[in-house]
């Protein structure tokens, strides 16, 4: 297993990754709250802006542009590090019999809906990257609209490794989806935050 801290803050990727982006061309964000969203859906963004009443950061347009630029730079920096790991796997001669899973633990708001950081149930935060490459599941590079949850990782890996099924798991194996991206194994995916 290999873990990476990026693209999480602080946004301190090397300069060459910042240079990949022109701030003025980054996608626009909508800072407005969704109409009708309940107040409990929002938080005070303390992870990024600081605690209320303690010298909290004011997200000026300049600071917003810098944080968004830094986030994109961190993503590209992570991509490069992941490439090094995958290249090493190829050089090891074990790539053909190795299951590779790439997953993030949460999404990240960069001012969307007036939120900064994580811990919301909005899609930008609740939806995470999940890529699985496994021997014998068909050609790679295929996307799916099938729902998945992080609790599906263990049953999927156990299934792909042909381990005995474990009773009582909340997750479902995604093996069928890996073989046929049109397949569906769940009708809903859930996320929650304790507020």
């Amino acid at each position: 297993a290999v873990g990476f801290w990026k693209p999480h803050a602080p946004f301190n990727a090397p300069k060459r990754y910042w240079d990949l982006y022109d701030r003025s061309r980054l996608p626009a964000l909508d800072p407005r709250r969704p109409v009708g969203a309940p107040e409990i859906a929002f938080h005070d963004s303390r992870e990024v802006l600081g605690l209320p009443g303690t010298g909290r950061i004011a997200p000026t347009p300049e600071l917003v542009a810098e944080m968004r630029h830094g986030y994109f730079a961190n993503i590209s920096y992570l991509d490069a590090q992941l490439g090094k790991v995958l290249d090493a796997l190829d050089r090891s001669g074990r790539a053909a019999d190795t299951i590779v899973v790439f997953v993030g633990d949460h999404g990240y708001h960069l001012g969307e809906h007036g939120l900064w950081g994580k811990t919301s149930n909005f899609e930008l935060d609740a939806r995470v990257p999940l890529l699985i490459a496994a021997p014998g599941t068909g050609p790679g590079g295929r996307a799916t609209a099938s729902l998945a949850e992080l609790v599906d990782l263990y049953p999927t890996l156990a299934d792909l490794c042909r381990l005995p099924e474990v009773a009582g798991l909340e997750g479902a194996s995604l093996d069928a989806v890996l073989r046929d991206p049109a397949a569906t194994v769940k009708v809903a995916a859930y996320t929650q935050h304790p507020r």
Side-chain angles (χ1 to χ4, degrees):
V2 177
F4 294 100
W5 183 256
K6 297 300 176 208
H8 201 287
F11 304 137
N12 56 359
K15 182 181 181 310
R16 69 180 177 180
Y17 298 101
W18 287 74
D19 292 346
L20 295 173
Y21 299 96
D22 175 349
R23 269 185 208 177
S24 66
R25 304 183 125 222
L26 293 176
L29 62 86
D30 188 349
R32 298 173 299 172
R33 287 185 169 197
V35 175
E39 188 61 32
I40 198 168
F42 299 92
H43 56 72
D44 60 15
S45 300
R46 67 182 58 193
E47 176 187 17
V48 175
L49 303 181
L51 292 170
T54 62
R56 189 170 163 87
I57 297 170
T60 63
E62 295 77 22
L63 183 57
V64 169
E66 182 176 345
M67 285 194 287
R68 289 176 52 76
H69 189 171
Y71 189 71
F72 278 82
N74 275 2
I75 290 171
S76 293
Y77 179 58
L78 169 67
D79 286 348
Q81 305 322 300
L82 182 59
K84 291 177 182 181
V85 171
L86 294 175
D87 287 347
L89 178 61
D90 284 341
R91 286 191 306 276
S92 77
R94 303 305 309 216
D97 59 359
T98 300
I99 299 169
V100 175
V101 176
F102 178 85
V103 64
D105 62 341
H106 58 77
Y108 207 75
H109 287 284
L110 294 168
E112 297 87 356
H113 309 320
L115 295 171
W116 294 89
K118 57 186 184 275
T119 66
S120 83
N121 284 323
F122 290 110
E123 188 158 351
L124 283 168
D125 190 3
R127 190 174 186 179
V128 299
L130 174 60
L131 293 91
I132 302 172
T137 58
R142 300 175 299 163
T144 181
S146 181
L147 296 175
E149 298 173 284
L150 297 181
V151 294
D152 300 330
L153 287 177
Y154 178 81
T156 301
L157 291 171
D159 198 10
L160 292 171
C161 293
R162 296 183 183 94
L163 297 175
E165 191 172 318
V166 176
L169 296 178
E170 291 185 31
S173 173
L174 301 171
D175 183 51
V177 178
L178 293 172
R179 295 176 190 287
D180 177 8
T184 299
V185 298
K186 335 191 85 155
V187 296
Y190 299 94
T191 189
Q192 68 180 15
H193 288 286
R195 267 200 296 286

